[in-house]
Amino acid sequence: MTNQPLDDLHSLTTEQANQASQQIDCLSAVEIARLMNREDATIASAVAAEIEQIGEAIEGIVARLRQGGRLIYIGAGTSGRLGVLDASECPPTFSTPPELVVGWLAGGTYALTHATERLEDDAQAGHAAVAELEIGPRDAVVGLTASGRTPFVLGAMDAARERGALTVGIACNQPSLLAERVHIMIAPVTGPEVIAGSTRLKAGTAQKMILNMLSTGTMIQLGKTFGNLMVDVKASNAKLRERAVRIVREATGLERDEAAAALDAANGETKTAIVSVLAGVPVDDARRLVASANGSVRAALGDIAPCQ
């Protein structure tokens, strides 16, 4: 544990030189890949050390979304881009409206493909982002910064907490300034990078893993899956219709033509088709069962499909 100030860049493990890669420029291509792979193998255990906090964050996010709130990722640089990526994948994967999971990157869409590091240093811009998003008590806000000290993110988390939102921090250093500003802190210590300070590497991978858990865990608890099937898919084009038919087949055991007919009868609603078949009820009744179970197929089926 360092006694240096938490805003001292040189005290951060993500900024330190990695002893294992000091001679990386002397290695062959295969040796470079092997070295990076060895370093990457340590990431999962760093994330595993934060599982309790990740679970707590999922529960908190679910509670906010059930109250009509949103999940909002706020970050800068690589961390912010990862938040935007995770948010953008929720609508096609879970049929969520675009406004339910939001990624906000310092510098906006321009920063997705251009370096805008100077914007990271503006705490007031973080405050402004929270105001523009109209964040409130029903929202869950996740601040992303590998260092745990990015002013833009710190400013945003201060403002989000002042507005009553649930605040979650993700950083790859302990302790951190971010930890002092959030309700729940997730801090996998991934250690020095293969290229010193290049936090798009191990730190970025760890953040991506955690974001996968947060969004996927949240959607599962909101009833977006039945088992591991993406049952909230909407058959809006040929590819998605075929996927929906396959999901109905796997959930019910029907042959393809029967599953397609069940899906047609349910107006393309995968959940409704599954409940209608498994519960042996008309489509309208199945639709009401799904609605009364807050969209959960398993809850709608009750004793027909209990958790084992």
Side-chain angles (χ1 to χ4, degrees):
M1 185 73 68
T2 179
N3 291 320
Q4 292 177 281
L6 297 183
D7 60 352
D8 181 357
L9 194 64
H10 300 292
S11 71
L12 307 179
T13 59
T14 51
E15 294 295 323
Q16 294 170 7
N18 189 323
Q19 297 300 309
S21 61
Q22 282 186 325
Q23 300 291 316
I24 196 169
D25 59 332
C26 299
L27 302 181
S28 70
V30 169
E31 289 169 336
I32 290 170
R34 185 175 291 120
L35 171 57
M36 293 184 70
N37 182 247
R38 283 200 301 268
E39 290 293 309
D40 286 346
T42 67
I43 299 170
S45 60
V47 173
E50 300 297 302
I51 289 297
E52 292 297 323
Q53 290 88 336
I54 294 170
E56 182 183 358
I58 292 170
E59 291 175 352
I61 294 166
V62 169
R64 293 313 194 280
L65 267 58
R66 282 180 173 156
Q67 295 169 14
R70 300 165 293 170
L71 169 57
I72 299 169
Y73 299 131
I74 296 182
T78 296
S79 300
R81 293 183 189 102
L82 289 169
V84 171
L85 172 63
D86 195 76
S88 69
E89 291 290 347
C90 287
T93 305
F94 300 109
S95 296
T96 57
E99 63 272 14
L100 185 67
V101 184
V102 178
W104 190 277
L105 173 62
T109 55
Y110 178 85
L112 286 171
T113 55
H114 296 79
T116 55
E117 283 85 353
R118 63 180 178 78
L119 298 175
E120 300 180 10
D121 296 334
D122 190 347
Q124 286 304 311
H127 279 265
V130 168
E132 187 170 345
L133 286 162
E134 298 182 338
I135 286 171
R138 296 187 300 177
D139 295 321
V141 183
V142 178
L144 294 153
T145 161
S147 67
R149 63 183 285 282
T150 304
F152 175 85
V153 177
L154 299 183
M157 301 314 284
D158 283 341
R161 189 160 183 169
E162 288 169 6
R163 287 168 169 255
L166 171 70
T167 53
V168 178
I170 302 178
C172 294
N173 288 284
Q174 291 191 45
S176 72
L177 292 172
L178 181 61
E180 300 172 353
R181 289 165 161 81
V182 297
H183 297 102
I184 303 169
M185 186 67 208
I186 302 170
V189 179
T190 50
E193 298 287 1
V194 168
I195 303 301
S198 182
T199 52
R200 73 182 185 88
L201 300 175
K202 292 194 296 182
T205 299
Q207 289 176 303
K208 178 66 168 70
M209 292 171 69
I210 293 166
L211 291 172
N212 286 348
M213 294 179 187
L214 293 182
S215 58
T216 304
T218 294
M219 296 303 162
I220 290 169
Q221 295 214 325
L222 290 176
K224 298 291 186 179
T225 67
F226 178 44
N228 61 4
L229 301 176
M230 295 190 296
V231 291
D232 233 354
V233 64
K234 298 294 189 298
S236 57
N237 64 24
K239 182 187 77 171
L240 292 177
R241 174 178 166 73
E242 192 56 37
R243 178 181 294 169
V245 170
R246 186 174 70 252
I247 289 170
V248 173
R249 287 188 65 188
E250 292 183 12
T252 63
L254 293 176
E255 295 299 324
R256 188 198 177 285
D257 289 347
E258 295 172 318
L263 189 63
D264 287 340
N267 293 325
E269 298 168 9
T270 310
K271 290 181 176 182
T272 299
I274 292 170
V275 171
S276 177
V277 171
L278 293 181
V281 298
V283 165
D284 288 344
D285 290 345
R287 189 173 289 114
R288 282 191 289 270
L289 285 171
V290 171
S292 65
N294 293 317
S296 169
V297 169
R298 196 173 296 280
L301 291 169
D303 293 338
I304 297 171
C307 290
Q308 301 300 315

